[in-house]
């Protein structure tokens, strides 16, 4: 007896036999898709995001810097209320003070960039063992000079752990000083408990699921998305 094949085939009017698809592609996580839409998460030339591969530190820094430097996100300003003269006066004073301080920081960063360019000329590469033409270089430079995410001892090609990624995320979100202070108060040399406390204080408890584990590219992307959500006030 001839057994019927489990795979259904459809014979077209041209006589060509075609296999009926038995499964569909797994939909992309909406958070991952958001990062792709903003050109924060980019894959290989063939489109492969390599989400299951363990991330290295440089890749994660690039993701965070693309969030911090994104033109749609970097220039967010506090809105002015539609009513309330006292509130409007406070907002104007705050905006003026913030604007002056931002200009001071901008001048300082420009000086630091000039210093960095003079110290690490093209023929000498950079402080992280990569050439200035490397795709990571600009993000590493900005992370060092502008955002304080790394120092010159940072090794961009080394694999990054989840705890390191969380610590860097908190620094990018403006909470880095709290982690160091909490580690000292808790006598926590490893730092995971300090990370947990700071994350809880700022509503970031869910990122602690990555602590103490290797950080895959998918996890790195989701941490970057969390920074994006923190800056935009979205979920």
């Amino acid at each position: 007896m001839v057994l019927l094949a489990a795979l259904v085939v459809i014979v077209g009017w041209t006589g060509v036999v075609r296999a009926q698809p038995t499964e569909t592609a797994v939909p992309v996580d909406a958070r991952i898709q958001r990062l792709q839409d903003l050109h924060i998460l980019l894959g290989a030339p063939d489109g492969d995001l390599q989400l299951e591969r363990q991330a290295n530190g440089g890749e994660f820094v690039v993701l965070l810097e693309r969030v911090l430097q994104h033109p749609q996100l970097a220039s967010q300003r506090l809105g002015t209320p539609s009513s309330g003269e006292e509130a409007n006066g406070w907002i104007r004073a705050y905006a003026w003070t913030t604007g002056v301080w931002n200009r001071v920081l901008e001048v300082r960063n420009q000086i630091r960039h000039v210093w960095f360019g003079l110290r690490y000329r093209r023929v000498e590469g950079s402080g992280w063992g990569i050439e200035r033409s490397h795709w990571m270089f600009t993000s590493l430079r900005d992370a060092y000079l502008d955002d304080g995410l790394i120092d010159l001892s940072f090794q961009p090609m080394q694999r990054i752990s989840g705890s390191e990624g969380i610590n860097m995320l908190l620094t990018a979100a403006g909470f880095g000083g709290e982690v160091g202070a909490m580690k000292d108060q808790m006598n926590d040399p490893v730092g995971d408990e300090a990370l947990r406390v700071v994350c809880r204080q700022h509503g970031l408890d869910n990122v602690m699921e990555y602590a103490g584990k290797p950080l895959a590219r998918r996890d790195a992307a989701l941490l970057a998305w969390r920074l994006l959500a923190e800056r935009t006030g979205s979920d």
Side-chain angles (χ1 to χ4, degrees):
M1 179 180 296
V2 179
L3 296 177
L4 294 177
L7 181 64
V8 177
V9 296
I10 301 175
V11 181
W13 65 271
T14 58
V16 178
V17 178
R18 299 188 297 275
Q20 179 73 20
T22 57
E23 60 181 37
T24 58
V26 178
V28 177
D29 187 308
R31 297 167 294 179
I32 300 291
Q33 187 61 58
R34 172 69 169 154
L35 295 175
Q36 289 185 270
D37 293 343
L38 291 173
H39 304 290
I40 292 170
L41 177 63
L42 306 176
D46 63 359
D48 185 6
L49 296 177
Q50 302 177 356
L51 296 177
E52 306 309 318
R53 177 173 64 78
Q54 187 170 350
N56 60 47
E59 290 174 319
F60 186 56
V61 168
V62 169
L63 287 175
L64 296 182
E65 277 300 312
R66 284 175 179 165
V67 173
L68 294 174
Q69 302 293 339
H70 197 282
Q72 294 181 17
L73 307 174
S75 60
Q76 292 184 356
R77 294 291 182 266
L78 188 61
T80 302
S82 57
S83 62
E85 187 62 32
E86 183 178 349
N88 282 334
W90 184 89
I91 291 295
R92 284 194 294 269
Y94 175 82
W96 182 86
T97 304
T98 302
V100 171
W101 180 243
N102 285 339
R103 284 193 289 273
V104 171
L105 293 179
E106 183 179 353
V107 171
R108 186 202 67 171
N109 287 341
Q110 289 174 352
I111 294 172
R112 284 168 58 83
H113 276 263
V114 171
W115 165 82
F116 187 84
L118 292 174
R119 179 175 179 180
Y120 295 103
R121 299 180 185 277
R122 183 175 299 276
V123 295
E124 299 174 355
S126 73
W128 304 285
I130 61 175
E131 295 300 319
R132 295 167 67 95
S133 58
H134 195 282
W135 66 274
M136 290 183 186
F137 174 79
T138 299
S139 292
L140 293 175
R141 180 199 63 196
D142 293 345
Y144 170 58
L145 294 175
D146 299 339
D147 301 311
L149 298 184
I150 61 174
D151 57 24
L152 293 176
S153 67
F154 181 70
Q155 299 295 319
M157 298 305 178
Q158 287 187 359
R159 293 177 176 177
I160 186 172
S161 70
S163 298
E164 291 170 327
I166 296 169
N167 195 12
M168 202 171 290
L169 165 66
L170 291 172
T171 301
F175 311 133
E178 298 178 30
V179 176
M182 191 60 64
K183 286 176 65 175
D184 292 339
Q185 292 177 26
M186 300 179 65
N187 192 23
D188 178 23
V190 176
D192 281 359
E193 288 308 311
L195 289 177
R196 190 180 308 279
V197 172
V198 176
C199 285
R200 184 175 297 118
Q201 289 175 341
H202 297 285
L204 298 170
D205 305 64
N206 58 343
V207 305
M208 285 303 298
E209 66 179 286
Y210 306 115
K213 305 175 184 177
L215 194 68
R217 277 175 55 87
R218 181 187 305 277
D219 304 332
L222 293 178
L223 285 178
W225 176 86
R226 194 64 188 85
L227 176 63
L228 175 67
E230 182 73 18
R231 288 176 65 83
T232 58
S234 60
D235 294 324

